[in-house]
Amino acid sequence: MSILTSDQLEDLQAFLKDWLRHTGRTQADLRRALHAASIRMPVLLEVLQRTYTRQGLPGLAEQLCGVEELWHREDGAAEGGNASLPGLDASLGQLDLLLQEIRQEQQP
């Protein structure tokens, strides 16, 4: 596999910042979910870059969907298991659609 270009890394960083803001999460939350060594954005991007290098864009999308699902489960457990966050379901749906689209593009 290849590595992300500097433009792609900038786009990914902007996406992560918007995503964190939208979900009410912090870089510390993302660090824990990714098992990264630091909350600094370059370190978080490095973890995602390794995933991209090993598994390509589908792997990166799956990893981010997994983080979203983890947060959703955590939120549900914190609220007694009956959490229904309107924006979160839509966000998960969009990530799932993105993952499907990426997988379709990868097929020969």
Side-chain angles (χ1 to χ4, degrees):
M1 293 283 165
S2 61
I3 62 171
L4 294 167
T5 66
S6 60
D7 286 343
Q8 289 172 321
L9 283 171
E10 286 178 26
D11 289 344
L12 180 57
Q13 180 174 335
F15 168 77
L16 291 174
K17 287 180 178 182
D18 287 343
W19 181 41
L20 292 172
R21 193 173 321 116
H22 176 73
T23 58
R25 297 290 181 160
T26 65
Q27 286 180 210
D29 295 323
L30 185 56
R31 183 210 65 81
R32 280 188 295 278
L34 295 175
H35 307 288
S38 170
I39 66 168
R40 292 180 28 239
M41 186 57 74
V43 175
L44 299 174
L45 289 171
E46 182 180 312
V47 169
L48 296 172
Q49 174 76 280
R50 282 195 303 265
T51 299
Y52 180 81
T53 300
R54 286 190 318 267
Q55 301 171 347
L57 197 53
L60 180 60
E62 276 188 52
Q63 185 175 28
L64 295 176
C65 286
V67 169
E68 185 85 19
E69 289 175 23
L70 171 69
W71 289 344
H72 185 62
R73 285 193 309 272
E74 288 175 354
D75 290 343
E79 296 182 19
N82 293 326
S84 179
L85 302 174
L88 186 56
D89 288 335
S91 180
L92 281 173
Q94 289 176 350
L95 283 172
D96 287 339
L97 288 174
L98 175 63
L99 182 58
Q100 285 177 348
E101 187 175 315
I102 291 168
R103 285 181 176 155
Q104 288 174 352
E105 289 177 5
Q106 298 290 322
Q107 293 177 352

